[in-house]
Amino acid sequence: MKNKLLYLATAAMACFGLWSCDDDIETPPVVIPSTDLVANTTIADLKAEYWSSDRNSAALVPSRSDGSHTIIRGRVISMDASGNIYKAFCLDDGSAAITVSADTTKLYKQYQFGQEVLIDVTGLYIGFYNGLMQLGGLGEYNGAPSMTFMSTTAMKQHAFPNGLPDYAKVDTATVTIAEMAAAKRDAAELRKWQSRLVRFDDVEFIDAGKQFSVGTNTDRYIKDASGNRINVRCSYRASFCDATIPYGKGSVVGILSTYGTDWQVLMLDQYSYFGFDGTAPDVPDEPVGNGDGTEANPYTVGQIIAMNPQGNKDNPDEKDKWVSGYIVGWADMTSIFYINNETAKFETPATVATNLLLAATPDEKEYDKCLGIQLPAGDVRKALNLVENPGNLGKKLEIKGNICKYSGVPGMRDASAYKLDGQGTGGDTPNPPAGDAIFSETFVNGNLGQFVASVETSGSWTGWYAKTNFPPCAIANSYIDGTNEAATAWLISPVIDLSNATGATITLEHGFGFYFPTQQDSFCTVNIREEGGEWNALTLTVFPPKKESGNWTDFAANTIDISAYDGKKVEVGFKYVNDGNQSIAWEIKNFAIKGSVK
């Protein structure tokens, strides 16, 4: 269903006084902009041609084979007048929408809401900046090509208004939060909905009563009657940033943008939220607590949430502090690398061992009232994670680590000690039992963890790396700039001690791109050796279903018997080989060695 949405106040401002209320003042003639450009492709087709699974990329749009240029046309469906949308506008032609970024402000004066615009995209860059596809200029992110703003000159040379604004032709799609949550998990749907103007009805703001933004860009979530949530991103530059978020239920309208792997709705102005008529409930303040972060007097969950830490792994807000609360769940960040309503899980069995959710009470079910606790590889993870220890759900936990933001929420990283129902590694208590997992590593956290990458032979390719966009994992892929490079590369574990193990097994999940083997071959092998010894290839028996179309498979789980190495110290290596004759991408995640410990 589509609604016609008119922003009368801002639209009137955008018209620049085309009409006068004073008959005695001579009105200058209206200049109607026009262009001779003729569109020869749709926005949907343009996006499909350059769409990628890479979170950051940039490609220069060349001339066509006959020397002609690629030209799109669409209607402006956004405004940067309020400051909530910055140096960009969105163009929609009915087939899809795209964000156009330029290094200039007040774009709404030249490219007006509801106005048709034609863009000669030849000579511009198209690609992604942290998951959002856009037209713009060439930038860089972590040393790799990425999108940024095109220059003001380039914008004027490539983007041409055509005719006067017609607000009635701006289509706003009425959608639900649940529909958009499903859409972002499918590449075609993501491509279809990204940068569209959408409307959510019968929703409420979670942070009602607070200001939209105070001094920094702020995530303000809305939710529906079923508890589904979506982020409404509010800029500190917005003219309405210090307005009070309303109570009750109403409607929210905005551009459906992307940051990382999650949606963020960008409201156009102060008229983008309406119909909210609720009054503030009379709710007593919850006690925050008065801990000081020591083992004897830990911080409470409420204190850390009130602290709103902004630090990261390298620069935490506070180091080596204790926090007390209850284990209430975990976050499934295998495809969305943020803790939010979709990724937060408050039940077992769990499938991710690298984190916990900690709350003030054992029955909490709201993720924004929880701390995100990262569990580093080692004894702390073995003893606390809910994959191997589902009985930990609901238990009281005191844990020591570095206070910082973790995956978008207040939390802790690099936990080094704990007390679970009073027992653990804190104070004089003994170390925990090793448990079922002797060693585990996930590659969904943006790094290779304890594994080390090395390249035996290659051209320009640098070997295995951690892929952070969907799906996050460790990946080897020597298809570089349109060329298959011959390469041999390893990803090797640290030495793993099986001295006290019996019945050891390897479990792992793997997937492929471009090339889809259905049985073990010599291109992608799992290998094992005693410490310092010779490598021996193991046999993978489970492969993802062969793809009839598309470039990537799903992940398939394997369990490999390595009991022949019980009582020894071993290393495990993933060997990637490309002979240069075909495209091969191999992805690994959620590796573990399990067994009984004497």
Side-chain angles (χ1 to χ4, degrees), residues 77-78 130 141 143 274 314 321 384 400 435 491 536 544 549 562 565 578:
I77 57 171
S78 67
N130 204 6
Y141 184 84
F274 48 90
D314 298 321
K321 295 297 182 179
L384 299 182
K400 178 183 179 182
L491 184 65
N536 296 303
S549 63
I562 57 168
Y565 292 88
N578 190 336

Side-chain angles (χ1 to χ4, degrees), residues 224-360:
D224 61 18
S226 299
N228 300 304
R229 307 182 184 199
I230 195 168
N231 178 17
V232 178
R233 183 73 164 173
C234 299
S235 171
Y236 69 91
R237 300 184 182 93
S239 58
F240 57 92
C241 67
D242 57 356
T244 300
I245 300 174
Y247 288 93
K249 292 186 176 181
S251 299
V252 172
V253 173
I255 296 295
L256 195 59
S257 187
T258 306
Y259 191 78
T261 57
D262 209 358
W263 291 124
Q264 56 180 12
V265 179
L266 305 178
M267 294 190 296
L268 276 61
D269 51 35
Q270 65 269 34
Y271 305 104
S272 293
Y273 57 97
F274 48 90
F276 295 87
D277 57 0
T279 57
D282 185 14
V283 178
D285 293 335
E286 295 183 5
V288 172
N290 58 357
D292 58 14
T294 62
E295 183 178 354
N297 189 22
Y299 284 134
T300 66
V301 170
Q303 281 181 281
I304 302 302
I305 292 175
M307 187 187 300
N308 191 25
Q310 297 297 310
N312 54 37
K313 176 179 175 64
D314 298 321
N315 296 288
D317 294 71
E318 296 188 37
K319 292 185 175 182
D320 298 324
K321 295 297 182 179
W322 285 86
V323 178
S324 178
Y326 291 88
I327 299 174
V328 295
W330 54 285
D332 182 3
M333 293 185 287
T334 53
S335 60
I336 301 173
F337 193 49
Y338 297 94
I339 297 175
N340 57 27
N341 181 67
E342 185 173 349
T343 61
K345 309 296 180 183
F346 297 97
E347 72 282 326
T348 55
T351 60
V352 173
T354 56
N355 67 73
L356 294 173
L357 298 179
L358 198 69

Side-chain angles (χ1 to χ4, degrees), residues 74-260:
R75 200 165 296 277
V76 178
I77 57 171
S78 67
M79 291 181 290
D80 62 343
S82 75
N84 198 45
I85 295 174
Y86 185 62
K87 293 186 177 182
F89 67 83
C90 296
L91 205 65
D92 190 330
D93 68 353
S95 71
I98 194 167
T99 296
V100 184
S101 297
D103 195 14
T104 184
T105 56
K106 300 181 180 179
L107 286 165
Y108 68 93
K109 290 187 174 181
Q110 184 172 2
Y111 306 99
Q112 300 178 45
F113 182 78
Q115 188 173 38
E116 186 178 78
V117 173
L118 284 91
I119 301 179
D120 180 350
V121 299
T122 299
L124 295 178
Y125 282 86
I126 187 170
F128 293 83
Y129 175 76
N130 204 6
L132 176 64
M133 190 177 212
Q134 54 193 278
L135 283 168
L138 176 62
E140 184 178 290
Y141 184 84
N142 286 342
S146 181
M147 292 300 298
T148 189
F149 307 109
M150 73 177 82
S151 67
T152 303
T153 300
M155 175 68 91
K156 292 179 179 179
Q157 292 174 342
H158 288 262
F160 302 94
N162 189 50
L164 296 177
D166 189 342
Y167 316 122
K169 291 184 178 179
V170 175
D171 284 334
T172 305
T174 300
V175 298
T176 67
I177 299 176
E179 287 171 345
M180 293 302 96
K184 71 184 177 183
R185 293 191 289 268
D186 179 270
E189 288 294 292
L190 180 62
R191 188 166 63 241
K192 170 186 173 182
W193 286 103
Q194 198 178 77
S195 297
R196 289 283 304 276
L197 184 64
V198 297
R199 169 173 170 164
F200 300 93
D201 289 331
D202 199 30
V203 295
E204 58 182 307
F205 282 98
I206 291 172
D207 292 317
K210 299 180 181 179
Q211 291 181 329
F212 276 103
S213 177
V214 182
T216 186
N217 297 331
T218 307
D219 296 334
R220 297 303 192 193
Y221 287 83
I222 54 175
K223 68 178 181 179
D224 61 18
S226 299
N228 300 304
R229 307 182 184 199
I230 195 168
N231 178 17
V232 178
R233 183 73 164 173
C234 299
S235 171
Y236 69 91
R237 300 184 182 93
S239 58
F240 57 92
C241 67
D242 57 356
T244 300
I245 300 174
Y247 288 93
K249 292 186 176 181
S251 299
V252 172
V253 173
I255 296 295
L256 195 59
S257 187
T258 306
Y259 191 78

Side-chain angles (χ1 to χ4, degrees), residues 28-40:
V30 175
V31 178
I32 300 177
S34 64
T35 176
D36 294 331
L37 291 179
V38 177
N40 54 21

Side-chain angles (χ1 to χ4, degrees), residues 522-585:
S522 60
F523 292 110
C524 303
T525 55
V526 182
N527 300 266
I528 191 170
R529 68 180 179 185
E530 289 188 54
E531 183 180 7
E534 296 294 324
W535 288 110
N536 296 303
L538 301 171
T539 301
L540 291 165
T541 58
V542 183
F543 292 82
K546 186 175 181 179
K547 298 280 282 190
E548 298 301 326
S549 63
N551 286 335
W552 301 92
T553 62
D554 297 324
F555 284 84
N558 274 255
T559 299
I560 305 172
D561 183 358
I562 57 168
S563 58
Y565 292 88
D566 288 351
K568 302 174 182 179
K569 293 183 178 180
V570 300
E571 296 169 280
V572 175
F574 299 110
K575 185 180 181 181
Y576 170 89
V577 177
N578 190 336
D579 60 9
N581 294 321
Q582 59 186 324
S583 300
I584 302 173

